[in-house]
Amino acid sequence: MARTIPIEAGSYTQDCDDCPIRHRAVCARCEHDELAQLEKIKYYRSFEAGQTVAWSGDRMDFVASVVSGIATLSQTMEDGRRQMVGLLLPSDFVGRPGRESSAYDVVATSDLVMCCFRKKPFEEMMLRTPHIGQRLLEMTLDELDAAREWMLILGRKTAREKIASLIAIIARRDATLALQPPTGGLTFELPLTREAMADYLGLTLETVSRQISALKRDNIIVLEGKRQIRIPDFDALIEQTGDDSDGGLLV
Amino acid sequence: MARTIPIEAGSYTQDCDDCPIRHRAVCARCEHDELAQLEKIKYYRSFEAGQTVAWSGDRMDFVASVVSGIATLSQTMEDGRRQMVGLLLPSDFVGRPGRESSAYDVVATSDLVMCCFRKKPFEEMMLRTPHIGQRLLEMTLDELDAAREWMLILGRKTAREKIASLIAIIARRDATLALQPPTGGLTFELPLTREAMADYLGLTLETVSRQISALKRDNIIVLEGKRQIRIPDFDALIEQTGDDSDGGLLV
DNA sequence: CAATTGCCTTGATGCAGATCAAAACATGGC
DNA sequence: GCCATGTTTTGATCTGCATCAAGGCAATTG
């Protein structure tokens, strides 16, 4: 099922500039020789928008970090109902050490480059290098918090609050990656189709479209094209999410 | 806010019989002297049904493992809407190393005994003892899977499927703890009020009550009292969840 | 034993969001 | 240019669950 296109074997560069693994993921505290070991088991894969990285149940013999582009993790019921359970932005980590097959459908929603590590040697390295495991634990705990934030969104928020929450999350992540403060005016690209947003929020695409139109009508957001969004007043957006203003909203 | 009743300092027993920490949690692979170190920083706390262990934002200077009883993790919005994000059964772990305050409301829904470890020494010990960290990573990954399973339930399932899913999850956990196979007839106690179930499933308590009545009417479940439930045919219950029969449904 | 309290059930009604349907826009291929 | 395909918007209608309301049942209390 999973059609993938490996593009190049990773070549060792000490600063690992092309790969965010060093910053958010496994090797932030690694020394030179550990980095060198990681480099040996590292390779890149790229995917086109819409391509499936792995279906739920597919054998997955690597773990990976997103270098550029966006991917989604989702679950599908037999009758086709789909729920996204994770959004993978650059620097996010995918794959579970100790599990041989993917538990979720992993789909590239834009052109995507991932930095992969073969699972077996990665696991062995984890055993030898405790801070890789520690880093992974931290990241997993962050993901768990994000998942629980989503549970609140899915279980208790109205359609309008859901959309506002999703836009706020993406805006925050986008601002973080771009190192812009998420206050004042802020422009970015919605990396998801209306349908993908619906699958994320437990809504239909029609409801998503209607609520986006409503937020536009109320000047909470400004659409520049279908996907490009400008947020004139970030605090006004946050008010629409139902969260208390200081709130966490991790992703 | 958090009123708690410490009952006894943990006394060291090599087999740690009274505490599931050894089996599911931190010390499964620990040697004698590491166990002894854990024992030194361990103490018990007990709570009555309905008592709050910690409010979101409260300082929490320990991590803990549930010994007996049930607790819930929940988030509350300003206007009172509540969403449970975790159900803590015996052997489950609470608390995040590296975070000083609780991110969730932790409430005992039955009489509860927890085996606590002071956070600072626990974290230090984690650094020295890699397999504690590894075990914690495994458990956190399991929790993440469970949270994602819940996202599907919350986002895409009908009220009837939600109730069936919750009953199935509790039945499975209960059977696992009691070491009974979760097939054929199976009797257990629902550890949650209708309201708590509603907060778990993103429903109202009235809907929960109606759907339980409906499942009873259709002979999927048999109520023996309000809380005692018998499941004559586990597979029939699973059919009501919307999952494919082999499915995971971790918690 | 009557009164109170907490939990649960059931009924009547309303509404947010789903569903069904159609059309407006893009974008790319030929 | 025209056609095909995919995405988005908007409208009309339907429905599952929320909401509002009342009453039942069991345990506890005075």
Side-chain angles (χ1 to χ4, degrees):
Chain A
M1 283 290 172
R3 298 155 299 154
T4 58
I5 309 175
I7 43 168
E8 52 164 334
S11 59
Y12 178 68
T13 60
Q14 188 169 0
D15 284 342
C16 201
D17 283 329
D18 51 352
C19 172
I21 201 83
R22 191 137 192 280
H23 311 304
R24 288 226 343 156
V26 298
C27 55
R29 285 184 297 255
C30 289
E31 300 301 326
H32 180 88
D33 54 334
E34 292 162 347
L35 273 179
Q37 283 185 61
L38 272 173
E39 288 296 325
K40 267 188 228 149
I41 60 171
K42 162 182 140 185
Y43 58 100
Y44 292 94
R45 288 174 91 169
S46 73
F47 300 85
E48 288 168 25
Q51 255 192 310
T52 300
V53 177
W55 294 106
S56 171
D58 277 3
R59 184 174 176 70
M60 209 167 142
D61 49 5
F62 60 92
V63 296
S65 175
V66 175
V67 177
S68 65
I70 284 132
T72 59
L73 289 186
S74 63
Q75 284 179 293
T76 310
M77 295 170 69
E78 293 139 286
D79 60 4
R81 282 177 281 175
R82 190 179 317 145
Q83 177 64 50
M84 288 196 182
V85 296
L87 189 59
L88 300 170
L89 302 182
S91 84
D92 281 336
F93 190 82
V94 221
R96 169 171 178 163
R99 171 179 291 159
E100 71 295 341
S101 64
S102 176
Y104 309 102
D105 300 332
V106 184
V107 178
T109 59
S110 71
D111 289 347
L112 176 73
V113 178
M114 295 200 306
C115 175
C116 303
F117 301 89
R118 289 187 296 119
K119 188 175 290 165
K120 225 11 179 324
F122 186 85
E123 284 168 5
E124 283 157 12
M125 184 148 178
M126 247 182 75
L127 292 180
R128 286 195 309 272
T129 315
H131 41 259
I132 291 184
Q134 284 161 29
R135 185 73 196 94
L136 218 45
L137 176 59
E138 267 174 54
M139 288 194 301
T140 306
L141 285 164
D142 286 343
E143 273 185 274
L144 183 57
D145 282 333
R148 286 173 165 167
E149 192 75 44
W150 274 108
M151 288 176 70
L152 177 64
I153 291 172
L154 288 169
R156 291 302 186 195
K157 289 193 177 179
T158 65
R160 168 181 265 246
E161 288 169 340
K162 285 178 175 181
I163 295 288
S165 299
L166 178 59
I167 293 176
I169 286 172
I170 294 174
R172 245 193 271 256
R173 276 294 303 256
D174 198 82
T176 305
L177 288 174
L179 300 174
Q180 306 163 15
T183 51
L186 186 58
T187 303
F188 61 95
E189 169 128 349
L190 267 187
L192 301 171
T193 66
R194 301 291 186 261
E195 189 181 21
M197 288 189 247
D199 285 340
Y200 221 128
L201 298 170
L203 298 170
T204 59
L205 69 153
E206 293 95 330
T207 299
V208 169
S209 178
R210 275 185 251 270
Q211 293 301 333
I212 287 181
S213 299
L215 288 174
K216 185 173 63 175
R217 208 165 31 246
D218 299 345
N219 296 314
I220 306 295
I221 61 176
V222 179
L223 280 187
E224 299 167 350
K226 299 284 185 194
R227 298 285 193 88
Q228 199 76 9
I229 283 196
R230 190 161 60 78
I231 300 171
D233 178 359
F234 196 76
D235 293 336
L237 175 64
I238 296 299
E239 269 175 35
Q240 304 297 317
T241 63
D243 298 317
D244 32 356
S245 44
D246 58 328
L249 270 200
L250 322 132
V251 146
Chain B
M1 284 286 176
R3 298 155 299 153
T4 58
I5 309 175
I7 45 169
E8 53 164 335
S11 59
Y12 178 68
T13 60
Q14 188 169 0
D15 285 342
C16 202
D17 283 330
D18 51 352
C19 174
I21 200 83
R22 191 135 192 280
H23 311 303
R24 290 225 345 154
V26 297
C27 54
R29 287 183 296 255
C30 289
E31 300 300 325
H32 180 91
D33 55 333
E34 291 163 345
L35 272 179
Q37 283 185 60
L38 272 174
E39 288 296 324
K40 269 188 224 147
I41 60 170
K42 161 183 140 186
Y43 58 98
Y44 292 94
R45 289 174 91 169
S46 74
F47 300 86
E48 289 169 26
Q51 254 192 309
T52 299
V53 177
W55 294 104
S56 170
D58 277 4
R59 184 174 176 70
M60 209 166 142
D61 49 6
F62 60 92
V63 297
S65 175
V66 174
V67 176
S68 65
I70 284 131
T72 58
L73 289 186
S74 62
Q75 283 179 294
T76 308
M77 296 170 69
E78 294 140 284
D79 60 4
R81 282 177 281 175
R82 191 179 315 147
Q83 177 63 51
M84 288 196 183
V85 296
L87 188 60
L88 299 171
L89 301 183
S91 85
D92 282 337
F93 191 81
V94 220
R96 168 171 180 163
R99 171 179 292 159
E100 70 295 339
S101 63
S102 176
Y104 309 102
D105 299 333
V106 185
V107 178
T109 59
S110 71
D111 288 348
L112 175 73
V113 178
M114 295 199 307
C115 176
C116 304
F117 300 90
R118 288 186 297 118
K119 187 174 292 165
K120 221 22 178 316
F122 185 85
E123 284 168 4
E124 283 159 11
M125 183 149 179
M126 249 182 72
L127 292 180
R128 284 196 310 272
T129 315
H131 41 258
I132 291 184
Q134 285 161 29
R135 185 74 195 95
L136 218 45
L137 176 58
E138 268 173 54
M139 289 193 300
T140 306
L141 285 164
D142 286 341
E143 274 185 274
L144 183 57
D145 282 332
R148 286 172 166 168
E149 191 75 46
W150 274 109
M151 287 174 70
L152 177 64
I153 291 172
L154 288 169
R156 290 303 186 194
K157 290 193 177 180
T158 66
R160 168 181 265 245
E161 289 169 339
K162 285 178 174 181
I163 294 288
S165 299
L166 177 59
I167 294 176
I169 286 173
I170 294 174
R172 244 192 272 254
R173 277 293 303 254
D174 198 83
T176 306
L177 287 174
L179 301 173
Q180 306 162 16
T183 51
L186 185 59
T187 304
F188 61 97
E189 169 129 348
L190 267 186
L192 300 171
T193 65
R194 301 289 185 263
E195 189 182 20
M197 288 189 249
D199 285 340
Y200 221 128
L201 298 170
L203 299 170
T204 59
L205 68 152
E206 293 95 328
T207 299
V208 170
S209 178
R210 275 184 251 270
Q211 294 300 334
I212 287 182
S213 298
L215 288 174
K216 185 173 64 176
R217 205 163 36 244
D218 299 343
N219 297 315
I220 305 294
I221 62 177
V222 180
L223 282 185
E224 299 168 349
K226 300 285 185 191
R227 297 284 193 89
Q228 200 75 10
I229 283 197
R230 190 161 60 79
I231 299 170
D233 178 0
F234 196 76
D235 292 336
L237 176 63
I238 296 300
E239 269 176 33
Q240 303 298 317
T241 62
D243 298 317
D244 31 359
S245 43
D246 59 325
L249 269 199
L250 321 132
V251 148

